[in-house]
Amino acid sequence: MKQRTSINLKELASQLNLSVTTVSRVLNGKAKQYRIKAETEQRVREAANIFHYSPNQFARSLKLDKSETIGVIVPDISNPFFSEIVKNIERESKNRGYAVFIGDSSDNTTQEIALINYFTSRKVDGLIIAPVGLSSSHLNNIYESGMPVVIIDRSFNDVDFPVVTSNNYQGAFDATFELLKNGHTKIALIQGLQNSQPNTDRVMGYVDAMKQWNIPHDKLIIVGNSFSIENGFIQATKLLQAADPPTAIFALSNLITLGVLKAVSDLGLVCPENVSLVSFDEQAYSAFLNTPMTTIEQNREEIGLRAVNYVLDQINGLRLKKGLFLKIDTKIHLRKSIKNLNI
Ligand code: RIB
């Protein structure tokens, strides 16, 4: 067993011949507040460094009856959409005095449940979860247990726990309408995880925009089954190799779009000359692609900020309105990936 090389607060105070209270106040940044001399503050900080002092967070948690930590669980941390949200959550949590533990459920509900149990056993004060999005019973259970929790992105209707998501319906409606205004009527939609709320709402946005343009329902093209690069690649290849391909493809997520771009490239096609493209999800590279992409941006900063606010409200004893459901507006970025067929 590795020998402990650091000392605790009491031993540090004894080394300095100071009271534990004085040393604690210096280390908690309260020297000025308690008029502790600058030279004393300097001595304490130097000794803490020399003796490798680090506060015992477990002892602090027991004393405060809270760990000042938040567990964050997302389906895929390697997906820029989620990693940017996590970054915003981490920054805001730190500003509010909380550390963040991050878990990746790998789009697997069993793993998501295991992470919820693990963070709960580690006594996090609250949870922010972007669920896989197909079942909500385990999320109801954690909410009913009294654990402060906020669900983000892949939400559910008729649930009691607070939800922060995007207005996925409006974003998809706006994207489809932009294509229709440019003369496209054969628009293929490559969807993500079927029955997840964001996907359902985006499909409805596409369907309603096509309906408003009087496109017969049997002319709608809806294919695909996951928010993945592979799904985008496979479906776009099939669509573009058909005898009568669509003039436009609307990809329902950032990763699907990457798959579509690979298919277009592999087939030796060019956007928008051969096919117009729109992506749900803005990414840092969207504007810098060979053909700058028209996208629907979700407000990842606002989603993160609101989620932290709601979970801290609960941690601080505020009972949020039951069924609180926040839909944050999306934003369309019009670039060069849509060909105008009207001219
Ligand atoms: O792949 C990321 C997608 O899944 C995003 O559009 C986000 O909304 C999530 O549901």
Side-chain angles (χ1 to χ4, degrees):
M1 173 98 156
K2 189 169 174 293
Q3 285 303 314
R4 185 172 70 105
T5 56
S6 64
I7 60 174
N8 63 32
L9 187 62
K10 196 174 172 192
E11 290 162 336
L12 181 61
S14 167
Q15 285 286 340
L16 291 159
N17 200 19
L18 291 169
S19 73
V20 168
T21 305
T22 299
V23 173
S24 173
R25 285 171 173 170
V26 167
L27 295 176
N28 285 312
K30 295 176 180 172
K32 282 191 177 51
Q33 181 183 337
Y34 289 95
R35 296 194 173 81
I36 294 169
K37 282 188 285 186
E39 62 179 316
T40 303
E41 182 180 2
Q42 169 105 21
R43 279 181 59 218
V44 171
R45 292 194 182 287
E46 284 171 359
N49 199 21
I50 292 163
F51 291 107
H52 310 296
Y53 170 76
S54 65
N56 180 330
Q57 287 302 349
F58 287 108
R60 179 177 165 80
S61 301
L62 288 171
K63 187 176 165 204
L64 296 172
D65 191 25
K66 60 180 183 179
S67 64
E68 297 172 313
T69 59
I70 295 170
V72 179
I73 300 169
V74 295
D76 177 5
I77 196 68
S78 68
N79 181 332
F81 171 78
F82 292 114
S83 50
E84 285 173 41
I85 288 183
V86 169
K87 190 171 180 60
N88 291 315
I89 288 171
E90 198 277 336
R91 186 182 59 238
E92 182 61 16
S93 300
K94 190 159 54 182
N95 291 343
R96 308 276 293 267
Y98 277 75
V100 161
F101 293 145
I102 299 163
D104 183 330
S105 64
S106 302
D107 265 305
N108 175 304
T109 303
T110 304
Q111 172 65 356
E112 180 176 298
I113 294 169
L115 284 166
I116 290 172
N117 295 337
Y118 175 73
F119 285 157
T120 303
S121 71
R122 302 296 289 179
K123 300 296 179 198
V124 296
D125 296 330
L127 288 166
I128 297 174
I129 305 170
V132 170
L134 295 179
S135 61
S136 62
S137 55
H138 61 293
L139 303 172
N140 283 316
N141 294 342
I142 193 72
Y143 178 72
E144 294 305 328
S145 76
M147 165 67 81
V149 63
V150 177
I151 301 304
I152 60 173
D153 182 44
R154 297 183 191 171
S155 55
F156 304 87
N157 288 325
D158 309 323
V159 289
D160 292 340
F161 45 74
V163 170
V164 179
T165 188
S166 295
N167 190 336
N168 290 291
Y169 171 88
Q170 192 58 51
F173 185 98
D174 295 345
T176 308
F177 223 70
E178 196 57 37
L179 287 164
L180 290 161
K181 285 191 299 189
N182 280 276
H184 296 269
T185 54
K186 194 172 174 67
I187 304 169
L189 185 81
I190 303 181
Q191 67 178 338
L193 183 64
Q194 294 183 50
N195 302 317
S196 68
Q197 199 68 49
N199 192 74
T200 302
D201 292 352
R202 293 172 197 174
V203 171
M204 282 317 299
Y206 162 83
V207 169
D208 286 356
M210 298 289 267
K211 193 172 171 184
Q212 192 163 311
W213 209 268
N214 300 315
I215 307 290
H217 194 76
D218 61 1
K219 297 295 183 195
L220 303 191
I221 306 167
I222 303 173
V223 295
N225 56 12
S226 81
F227 290 119
S228 66
I229 295 173
E230 187 187 20
N231 173 46
F233 176 73
I234 290 169
Q235 296 303 335
T237 302
K238 280 184 199 167
L239 288 165
L240 296 171
Q241 286 185 321
D244 179 17
T247 61
I249 292 176
F250 178 18
L252 282 193
S253 88
N254 55 349
L255 299 184
I256 295 173
T257 301
L258 290 179
V260 172
L261 288 170
K262 179 173 174 11
V264 168
S265 169
D266 286 3
L267 292 170
L269 300 175
V270 177
C271 169
E273 283 67 25
N274 305 121
V275 60
S276 294
L277 300 179
V278 177
S279 167
F280 206 104
D281 287 333
E282 168 79 1
Q283 295 295 173
Y285 51 74
S286 300
F288 310 124
L289 295 168
N290 288 340
T291 305
M293 180 73 67
T294 291
T295 65
I296 298 296
E297 179 174 19
Q298 299 189 66
N299 192 330
R300 288 147 292 176
E301 185 169 3
E302 186 70 10
I303 290 171
L305 201 62
R306 294 284 188 151
V308 172
N309 287 344
Y310 287 162
V311 79
L312 289 182
D313 282 347
Q314 294 173 75
I315 290 170
N316 296 323
L318 190 70
R319 193 83 184 141
L320 298 181
K321 184 167 71 71
K322 226 171 192 177
L324 178 67
F325 198 107
L326 181 66
K327 277 188 184 179
I328 297 171
D329 287 345
T330 57
K331 180 179 175 186
I332 189 166
H333 294 280
L334 298 174
R335 299 194 175 103
K336 307 278 188 197
S337 61
I338 298 177
K339 184 177 180 181
N340 187 340
L341 302 182
N342 299 320
I343 47 179

